[in-house]
Amino acid sequence: MSAQLRQDDDEPKLQDAKDEEANRLLQPQSLSLSSAWDDDDEVAFEAREKILIAEDVDSIDAVDDNSTAVPPFSWKKLWLFTGPGFLMSIAFLDPGNLEGDLQSGAIAGYSLLWLLMWATAMGLLVQLLSARVGVATGRHLAELCREEYPKWAALVLWFMAELALIGADIQEVIGSAIAIQILSHGVLPLWAGVLITALDCFIFLFLENYGVRKLEAVFAVLIATMGLSFAWMFVDTKPSGKELLMGILVPRLSSKTIRQAVGVVGCVIMPHNVFLHSALVQSRNIDPNKKGRVQEALNYYSIESSIALFISFMINLFVTTVFAKGFYGTKQANSIGLVNAGQYLQDKYGGGLYPILYIWGIGLLAAGQSSTITGTYAGQFIMGGFLNLRLKKWLRALITRSFAIVPTIVVAIIFNRSEALLDVLNEWLNVLQSIQIPFALIPLLTLVSKEQVMGVFKIGPVLERVAWTVAALVMVINGYLLLDFFISEVNGLLFALLVCSGTAAYITFIVYLVSHSGALPSTFFSSLSKKFADAGN
């Protein structure tokens, strides 16, 4: 009897203990790897900012810390994971990319659409690897670089990442300013548009206070605005469906379109975007100690990123085909740039109920505003990760924004009077971006291939070879762009000496990064040196 009473008394206690454990598991919690750093190190998102991926209690109990079992697919969970990939995809739609699209269409017609598709696929691979690093380690790429490399090398990588970000931001802000000039019917000059665009820093801070999902919703609206604007232009101009399909399915390349082909590939991978995506995926509360949960998150992020980049590909395709239909083979083809593209469209297709000039301006404004805000976001993570700064978000955003806005205002004032000068500036900024690509790609591939960093989530040998091949291809293509640009632009002995010295230092640092990687290229270099040694003997 007494034993029965004791059992009856113990049952509520056992039930309370189970309820308490279930509640503890369901509560938002910081990542176990991150918790040790919260007091000392910068983190991408505080625990209170992370989005809780709600789980069924039985499902949680079924997946222990060491389990590799992946929970079944859920549309609700896919929706909860949706967001980071779309923020990342903005870099594929910034004004610099749009200018590359319109010039590709005007000069090469439909012939480079296949390259645009495969370049987007290569960009997707790089971004998925970036997301993999962030989810599996609970840290973003800038933080990991700070620990992986000696202090001097990490500082060089930070400096290069900041340069890439400033170059991208100048293009994005100028693109927004051009759109504002179009929509104001020329009343607001370029420098005024730059100042208006600078205010997006405060918009970003305001939205961030309301949570990550609100910020992601705003970007969804901006991407939808771009999609609708450029789709409207696509339908309005009635491009050739047959030529479009031929351009996508049949690879074609001629000596006259090499420069545009290089531009299509070169502008797809943005250095700051590689850093950004590894941080954005940490906005969801995923415990990296639960292997099944990490794999689940990687699966959902892969789906979400693929959808986001498919949408970005369609938007880029719309822009390319509109200008291919309107200007391929015309006298204006070689003179079209971001500054005069709207007016050329207006002259070609006229007004109508909704003048195409203003439709173009709306799409360009959405592209510029969204990309400048993501640039501010990326700047926070890059600065905080490399320098381990524990600053207030508003202060860090203000600092990173000032890095880009101050030079952009100077550029706007100097270049405001000449469209030709703005086109030259854009070429130099594209070169600046191209130079920085190895300093994002090589560290990413180094880290994602390391078992000490990634554990069981390091990429396999086949994917590693594919990733290094893509990286090598992108770097060689950008190297061609740099060589072609410097041959045509570098004049004077002193300037040539400076460029050669800088190039030597640049190549030396890339060789250092590759040799430090311990991945596929290291094996290649050691086998190559062995061949040289054998040849010498």
Side-chain angles (χ1 to χ4, degrees):
M1 182 69 176
S2 60
Q4 181 66 38
L5 288 173
R6 280 196 304 271
Q7 184 179 351
D8 292 340
D9 290 337
D10 288 341
E11 283 182 358
K13 293 178 182 178
L14 290 172
Q15 185 61 44
D16 290 340
K18 287 182 179 179
D19 291 342
E20 184 180 352
E21 176 67 6
N23 288 332
R24 182 185 68 78
L25 290 169
L26 287 169
Q27 287 299 316
Q29 49 188 306
S30 60
L31 298 176
S32 58
L33 288 178
S34 300
S35 59
W37 304 321
D38 285 344
D39 294 334
D40 300 316
D41 288 2
E42 188 271 347
V43 291
F45 295 91
E46 301 290 347
R48 59 183 173 77
E49 298 174 312
K50 295 178 185 288
I51 296 170
L52 175 66
I53 306 298
E55 303 286 357
D56 180 83
V57 176
D58 294 334
S59 175
I60 291 175
D61 292 337
V63 182
D64 60 31
D65 286 356
N66 297 315
S67 174
T68 57
V70 179
F73 178 81
S74 163
W75 288 104
K76 181 180 179 182
K77 279 190 184 178
L78 178 59
W79 172 247
L80 290 172
F81 278 104
T82 298
F86 283 87
L87 267 69
M88 168 274 295
S89 72
I90 293 295
F92 290 71
L93 299 168
D94 72 352
N97 275 320
L98 297 183
E99 182 161 32
D101 292 337
L102 65 89
Q103 289 175 343
S104 170
I107 296 171
Y110 300 88
S111 65
L112 296 181
L113 290 178
W114 67 274
L115 191 59
L116 174 64
M117 179 180 70
W118 284 108
T120 304
M122 289 192 295
L124 174 62
L125 172 62
V126 171
Q127 295 303 148
L128 290 179
L129 294 179
S130 175
R132 190 181 191 89
V133 167
V135 174
T137 66
R139 309 188 77 179
H140 59 83
L141 185 58
E143 292 177 292
L144 293 168
C145 285
R146 189 183 75 235
E147 293 189 351
E148 175 69 21
Y149 296 98
K151 188 174 181 180
W152 69 269
L155 287 174
V156 173
L157 288 173
W158 168 68
F159 179 72
M160 292 300 184
E162 290 289 357
L163 277 182
L165 183 59
I166 291 170
D169 217 5
I170 290 175
Q171 287 181 309
E172 292 155 2
V173 171
I174 291 292
S176 287
I178 292 170
I180 291 170
Q181 194 175 45
I182 290 172
L183 296 175
S184 68
H185 204 61
V187 172
L188 293 173
L190 209 59
W191 63 265
V194 169
L195 291 177
I196 292 170
T197 305
L199 296 176
D200 66 18
C201 174
F202 301 102
I203 296 171
F204 158 72
L205 292 171
F206 174 77
L207 292 172
E208 197 177 28
N209 287 333
Y210 286 90
V212 175
R213 293 298 269 178
K214 302 293 190 302
L215 187 65
E216 290 170 351
V218 169
F219 279 99
V221 171
L222 291 171
I223 292 172
T225 302
M226 276 185 273
L228 289 172
S229 298
F230 297 134
W232 186 296
M233 289 169 48
F234 177 81
V235 172
D236 198 36
T237 54
K238 300 180 179 65
S240 168
K242 180 181 177 181
E243 286 290 331
L244 192 154
L245 284 175
M246 288 283 290
I248 292 174
L249 299 176
V250 181
R252 289 177 288 173
L253 192 62
S254 70
S255 58
K256 295 179 181 179
T257 60
I258 287 286
R259 193 177 181 88
Q260 284 66 45
V262 169
V264 167
V265 177
C267 65
V268 164
I269 296 177
M270 307 288 282
H272 72 271
N273 207 40
V274 178
F275 289 97
L276 175 65
H277 201 194
S278 65
L280 290 174
V281 294
Q282 294 175 49
S283 60
R284 272 58 177 175
N285 194 7
I286 307 300
D287 186 346
N289 288 324
K290 294 183 179 291
K291 298 180 180 63
R293 298 299 176 195
V294 172
Q295 187 59 57
E296 177 190 40
L298 292 174
N299 294 344
Y300 284 121
Y301 281 135
S302 298
I303 296 170
E304 182 236 6
S305 297
S306 300
I307 294 171
L309 287 195
F310 174 76
I311 293 171
S312 76
F313 166 70
M314 292 304 298
I315 292 173
N316 285 316
L317 181 143
F318 290 154
V319 176
T320 303
T321 51
V322 163
F323 284 87
K325 171 66 188 300
F327 303 101
Y328 176 57
T330 66
K331 293 179 180 178
Q332 302 101 315
N334 290 307
S335 60
I336 295 179
L338 206 60
V339 179
N340 57 20
Q343 192 57 53
Y344 274 126
L345 285 170
Q346 185 70 9
D347 294 342
K348 181 75 176 180
Y349 296 105
L353 183 60
Y354 300 104
I356 198 168
L357 172 65
Y358 298 109
I359 296 171
W360 165 256
I362 290 169
L364 182 59
L365 182 63
Q369 285 294 324
S370 56
S371 56
T372 51
I373 296 175
T374 55
T376 302
Y377 220 4
Q380 285 193 3
F381 297 129
I382 289 170
M383 178 178 284
F386 275 112
L387 304 184
N388 195 23
L389 294 180
R390 296 283 293 179
L391 297 176
K392 295 287 186 183
K393 284 194 173 182
W394 68 267
L395 181 58
R396 198 186 308 163
L398 193 61
I399 292 171
T400 54
R401 205 79 195 93
S402 300
F403 280 172
I405 289 299
V406 172
T408 305
I409 292 173
V410 174
V411 163
I413 293 172
I414 294 174
F415 291 87
N416 187 40
R417 298 178 182 178
S418 172
E419 292 180 3
L421 284 177
L422 271 176
D423 288 338
V424 171
L425 170 69
N426 190 60
E427 285 188 20
W428 277 96
L429 291 175
N430 285 337
V431 167
L432 179 64
Q433 292 278 61
S434 299
I435 288 173
Q436 311 308 323
I437 286 176
F439 306 126
L441 280 185
I442 296 174
L444 172 66
L445 298 186
T446 298
L447 291 163
V448 81
S449 307
K450 274 198 169 186
E451 189 172 358
Q452 304 96 302
V453 176
M454 300 292 294
V456 298
F457 293 102
K458 72 179 285 290
I459 58 174
V462 174
L463 182 56
E464 186 179 350
R465 288 186 178 90
V466 171
W468 277 107
T469 302
V470 167
L473 180 63
V474 170
M475 286 188 281
V476 167
I477 287 173
N478 280 282
Y480 173 85
L481 176 65
L482 294 175
L483 183 63
D484 179 62
F485 181 79
F486 284 128
I487 288 173
S488 61
E489 295 293 332
V490 174
N491 297 307
L493 181 60
L494 181 60
F495 191 29
L497 286 174
L498 288 173
V499 168
C500 289
S501 301
T503 303
Y506 174 78
I507 293 173
T508 301
F509 189 56
I510 290 177
V511 170
Y512 165 77
L513 292 176
V514 170
S515 63
H516 180 87
S517 68
L520 179 64
S522 296
T523 307
F524 171 76
F525 282 131
S526 26
S527 63
L528 190 63
S529 61
K530 185 179 178 182
K531 287 180 182 178
F532 277 118
D534 293 341
N537 293 330

